[in-house]
Amino acid sequence: MKFTVSSSALLSVLSTTGKVISSKNTLPILDYFLFELQGDTLKVTASDLETTFIGKVKVDGVEKEGVVAAPYKRMLDTLKEFSEQPLTISVDTETWKINIRWATGEISIPGLSGLSYPTVPMLSDAKVALDMDVDLLVDGINKTIFATAEGELRPVMNSIFVNIEPSEVTFVATDAHKLVKYSAQLESGLTASFILPKKPANLLKAALVREEGAIHTEFDNKNAMFHIGDFTLVCHLIEGTYPKYNSVIPQNNSNRVVVDRSELLNGIKRVAVCSSQATNLIKMSINGDKINLVAQDRDYSMSATENISCEYEGTPIVIGFKSTFLVEILSNTDTQSVLIELGDHTRAGVFKPVYEADEKPTFSILMLLMPMMLPEDETKA
């Protein structure tokens, strides 16, 4: 096996695909890239068993095709030290030693046979295929992924639900405290869904930044495959039933407040310094044209309050929210103003961006946040 390749082109492929490699691999071979040379194309595969990332790079001077497993860390550490220049890579198929030569030197790195490398999952004949605009896919992931759960005990909650309908696609994420629903127009003519784990979602988000046009997506009931230019991401999907999210979204919250997003966000950050470290509770009292924010930590005799101007339609209300969740929701809203729809202190609040008259978004988004319990004597405005 011998070929010549651009140092920067190879480093780019290894850097992208290598993000899938875990520091806690159960199989030693997963600490390696799989190099497969066929014709003038080098295919590079990295995997953690659950997710596989495949990249391709054009090469020159091919003298012999072949397959070898190349160590992840040593390959990356070596290539990072090169300026752009051609590298000649050869492999001894008896010892699996990888030799890299350049104009002024060479280095030898121990490799392994690639025969034991895990095979890429194949999709069944019942697979579903569609093209999704790259901006739509990036926005769907970006707008929802922060609302996924952190723990691994409930995989369904640690993932993004993608629901495809004939003329619309919806991305949903929830950790049972907050929920985000992002819907956009997509003429697919399909009715299908899948649950995308957080890790491949983050890998997709990073890889799609440099892409344009449509991303060809295929999936069955176990795996999904995303074709991204010269890269292909294959991942196991989460099996199970996603919560019926529409049933938890309040439809008749009659109290509506419109407020400057930055002012509210910064006010919450200021008073949250004095909130209880155990609960991060912030009390919001809304009446007339004011939102009064209150945070206190009785254990350390700390408290803070701030008034924010707003436009309010409804009866006076007092409600408590976790400050860290409020910050996440407001930080992931990209409009100047935000609409908050409230029922009472026991019902979830719904947060929606407010667009200017000349803005016509092709998507809709809402964010839901469950309230925190307040002492009975503090629930009256």
Side-chain angles (χ1 to χ4, degrees):
M1 182 177 179
K2 188 175 182 181
F3 59 92
T4 301
V5 65
S6 158
S7 60
S8 59
L10 182 57
L11 176 60
S12 177
V13 172
L14 297 188
S15 298
T16 299
T17 58
K19 291 176 182 176
V20 77
I21 295 177
S22 171
S23 59
K24 300 178 182 178
N25 281 322
T26 55
L27 298 176
I29 192 68
L30 297 179
D31 290 326
Y32 288 70
F33 293 106
L34 181 67
F35 284 7
E36 297 176 271
L37 181 61
Q38 293 182 333
D40 64 349
T41 300
L42 176 68
K43 184 169 76 171
V44 178
T45 302
S47 177
D48 67 355
L49 288 183
E50 295 294 322
T51 306
T52 302
F53 218 158
I54 303 165
K56 295 180 179 179
V57 60
K58 292 295 183 181
V59 300
D60 299 312
V62 177
E63 295 187 12
K64 189 177 181 181
E65 297 179 346
V67 179
V68 67
Y72 156 74
K73 189 174 187 307
R74 284 177 177 163
M75 289 297 297
L76 279 178
D77 288 347
T78 299
L79 289 171
K80 286 175 182 177
E81 303 305 322
F82 287 104
S83 58
E84 165 56 27
Q85 59 184 295
L87 303 176
T88 298
I89 300 178
S90 58
V91 179
D92 185 329
T93 54
E94 292 185 2
T95 63
W96 301 111
K97 184 169 289 187
I98 301 169
N99 183 265
I100 304 174
R101 293 184 181 180
W102 59 99
T104 57
E106 65 178 303
I107 186 172
S108 291
I109 296 174
L112 294 175
S113 166
L115 294 178
S116 62
Y117 206 86
T119 57
V120 179
M122 301 296 293
L123 301 184
S124 68
D125 293 338
K127 68 183 179 183
V128 174
L130 75 156
D131 291 327
M132 201 177 303
D133 183 80
V134 64
D135 291 335
L136 188 160
L137 187 53
V138 169
D139 284 349
I141 293 173
N142 276 337
K143 298 293 187 184
T144 57
I145 198 166
F146 79 92
T148 55
E150 292 298 328
E152 298 181 359
L153 296 178
R154 302 170 69 186
V156 166
M157 309 293 275
N158 195 29
S159 309
I160 297 174
F161 179 64
V162 183
N163 187 50
I164 301 160
E165 296 179 348
S167 59
E168 185 180 67
V169 61
T170 299
F171 297 77
V172 181
T174 181
D175 62 0
H177 300 287
K178 56 185 180 292
L179 178 148
V180 181
K181 177 184 176 183
Y182 173 94
S183 299
Q185 298 174 1
L186 177 66
E187 298 296 333
S188 66
L190 300 171
T191 300
S193 64
F194 61 90
I195 304 175
L196 181 66
K198 183 186 292 188
K199 181 173 179 177
N202 274 316
L203 291 170
L204 272 175
K205 184 174 67 170
L208 291 171
V209 171
R210 302 185 297 272
E211 298 299 320
E212 297 179 353
I215 303 301
H216 187 62
T217 304
E218 302 172 284
F219 61 94
D220 57 18
N221 62 340
K222 290 186 177 180
N223 300 287
M225 187 176 293
F226 300 87
H227 301 277
I228 314 162
D230 291 328
F231 296 90
T232 300
L233 180 72
V234 185
C235 66
H236 290 310
L237 299 174
I238 301 298
E239 297 184 44
T241 302
Y242 203 78
K244 294 183 178 181
Y245 53 90
N246 281 322
S247 64
V248 303
I249 300 174
Q251 302 300 319
N252 56 350
N253 278 357
S254 58
N255 300 307
R256 297 163 57 89
V257 55
V258 176
V259 61
D260 184 281
R261 183 190 65 85
S262 295
E263 286 188 15
L264 180 59
L265 175 60
N266 292 331
I268 290 169
K269 288 180 177 179
R270 284 190 287 268
V271 300
V273 174
C274 293
S275 65
S276 166
Q277 295 182 9
T279 64
N280 298 122
L281 171 66
I282 282 187
K283 184 174 70 173
M284 298 175 63
S285 302
I286 310 173
N287 192 355
D289 61 354
K290 294 290 183 183
I291 300 176
N292 177 245
L293 304 175
V294 176
Q296 57 181 335
D297 188 339
R298 291 189 173 92
D299 292 338
Y300 293 92
S301 301
M302 295 191 303
S303 65
T305 182
E306 179 157 349
N307 290 309
I308 307 290
S309 297
C310 69
E311 297 176 14
Y312 186 54
E313 297 177 6
T315 58
I317 186 174
V318 179
I319 191 168
F321 289 114
K322 192 178 182 73
S323 63
T324 51
F325 291 163
L326 281 170
V327 168
E328 284 183 313
I329 284 178
L330 294 171
S331 297
N332 284 278
T333 303
D334 52 12
T335 54
Q336 181 176 341
S337 299
V338 62
L339 166 66
I340 308 173
E341 299 176 344
L342 302 168
D344 56 47
H345 68 278
T346 64
R347 300 180 61 185
V350 176
F351 296 71
K352 297 177 181 178
V354 176
Y355 294 95
E356 300 295 334
D358 58 345
E359 294 180 301
K360 295 182 179 179
T362 58
F363 61 88
S364 64
I365 183 170
L366 67 81
M367 305 181 190
L368 176 149
L369 182 58
M370 297 299 295
M372 297 184 69
M373 186 178 297
L374 291 172
E376 188 65 31
D377 60 343
E378 294 185 22
T379 60
K380 294 179 175 58

